[in-house]
Amino acid sequence: PPRQKNQNPSGLGRAIINKKFKDAKERQESGLYTTEVDSTTRLKSVTQERDLDEFLNTAQLAGTEFTAERRNVKIIQTPAGSTHNPHLLTDQEEESTLKKHQLNKERLRVPRRPPWTKAITTSQLDRQEKDAFLEWRRGLAQLQEEDKFLLTPFERNIEVWRQLWRVLERSHLVVQIVDARNPLRFRCEDLELYVKDVEGAEGEAGTGRDKRKTLLLINKADLLTATQSRMSIFIRTPTPRRIWADYFDGQGVQ
């Protein structure tokens, strides 16, 4: 039988395009105080960058235009006979590194969302967030270059941090889940301080701090070593779970 005429000549492709335009318009009208992201493209974790990628992304954050010029390039190669792994630290280097990090923990912080009010526009908010994030990136770069800090890979995509900002602003309780075998290694104290600084019910500046609570959840207690468990039984000492609970109670941590 002959095929019937298509009642929708625009097709599926046109419908998808129209929906994207509609969604973009809605975001533009309602996105004064938040940043909507497309999870398939922009919300991609970036923890390491090549020098060129880092330069280009930093320039994009700063809104800077530039031109490239050809320069002399010198290639440095590691001798083939070298057996030292440059990515491993000696015990002395590790101890020195941890001490430096502890002394400078005020500079090793979670990036903050800059203060905002409902009076600013979407473009103004976007520029303020990028400027604040760029300043945070520059601070870490200064620690690495001038103070010779050794930093583990960290999140470099502002869109990922924007999601954290939004979650904190919309939350009443923030829970950190840490490993019972070494809770202090996984706990982020600065995140707890940031939660206290987030203002009001929506995060708007001038609406009052200390509106949210944090909770530390110690997970995987069943994975503590057999030696730890047996020692607790035979010498009648508190279990590692009780020890950690007493420790965090003493620190005023829930």
Side-chain angles (χ1 to χ4, degrees), residues 4-246:
Q4 296 183 354
K5 185 177 180 180
N6 188 357
Q7 300 298 323
N8 183 18
S10 61
L12 177 62
R14 176 58 60 183
I16 294 175
I17 294 175
N18 290 338
K19 186 177 185 307
K20 284 186 175 292
F21 276 113
K22 181 180 178 181
D23 292 343
K25 185 177 180 181
E26 290 178 354
R27 286 197 298 269
Q28 185 176 8
E29 293 174 351
S30 62
L32 288 176
Y33 319 116
T34 62
T35 304
E36 301 292 341
V37 298
D38 181 359
S39 59
T40 61
T41 55
R42 297 167 62 189
L43 190 57
K44 181 180 179 182
S45 179
V46 179
T47 57
Q48 289 181 307
E49 293 176 317
R50 295 176 299 175
D51 292 342
L52 179 59
D53 293 332
E54 183 174 2
F55 171 74
L56 294 174
N57 290 333
T58 301
Q60 184 178 13
L61 280 173
T64 304
E65 296 182 358
F66 60 90
T67 58
E69 296 182 1
R70 210 176 265 187
R71 300 286 186 189
N72 293 328
V73 178
K74 181 179 181 180
I75 300 177
I76 302 176
Q77 296 180 340
T78 303
S82 177
T83 58
H84 174 67
N85 188 338
H87 302 291
L88 296 179
L89 300 178
T90 64
D91 292 340
Q92 184 178 2
E93 290 173 334
E94 182 177 1
E95 182 180 354
S96 175
T97 298
L98 293 176
K99 185 176 181 180
K100 286 176 63 177
H101 283 202
Q102 183 64 26
L103 292 175
N104 292 271
K105 64 179 182 179
E106 293 297 327
R107 301 171 66 186
L108 298 168
R109 309 184 69 194
V110 174
R112 266 60 168 172
R113 188 184 193 187
W116 61 271
T117 65
K118 295 180 179 180
I120 65 176
T121 65
T122 304
S123 59
Q124 289 174 331
L125 177 60
D126 180 71
R127 185 68 267 159
Q128 288 182 11
E129 290 178 350
K130 288 181 177 178
D131 288 343
F133 186 71
L134 183 59
E135 188 65 25
W136 176 75
R137 289 277 304 265
R138 285 172 174 165
L140 294 181
Q142 184 180 20
L143 284 174
Q144 288 180 297
E145 295 172 7
E146 297 182 6
D147 299 328
K148 306 303 179 184
F149 261 62
L150 179 63
L151 300 180
T152 56
F154 58 90
E155 184 57 61
R156 301 165 186 263
N157 184 359
I158 187 176
E159 300 299 342
V160 176
W161 290 110
R162 278 172 165 164
Q163 293 303 295
L164 174 65
W165 298 340
R166 294 177 64 190
V167 168
L168 295 184
E169 290 176 351
R170 298 180 181 186
S171 300
H172 298 286
L173 175 66
V174 178
V175 181
Q176 285 192 70
I177 303 177
V178 298
D179 195 312
R181 292 166 292 183
N182 196 343
L184 300 182
R185 180 59 63 102
F186 297 96
R187 178 192 175 197
C188 181
E189 296 183 52
D190 189 55
L191 180 63
E192 298 169 12
L193 297 176
Y194 184 22
V195 171
K196 293 182 179 180
D197 289 339
V198 178
E199 299 192 53
E202 298 178 332
E204 184 180 8
T207 53
R209 292 183 169 87
D210 290 326
K211 303 292 185 181
R212 294 159 181 80
K213 294 184 178 181
T214 59
L215 177 68
L216 195 66
L217 176 60
I218 301 180
N219 191 29
K220 298 183 179 179
D222 56 317
L223 295 181
L224 291 171
T225 64
T227 302
Q228 291 172 313
S229 300
R230 285 199 300 269
M231 287 180 62
S232 299
I233 295 173
F234 289 127
I235 64 178
R236 299 184 182 278
T237 59
T239 64
R241 303 179 191 180
R242 184 71 262 168
I243 293 173
W244 281 121
D246 292 341

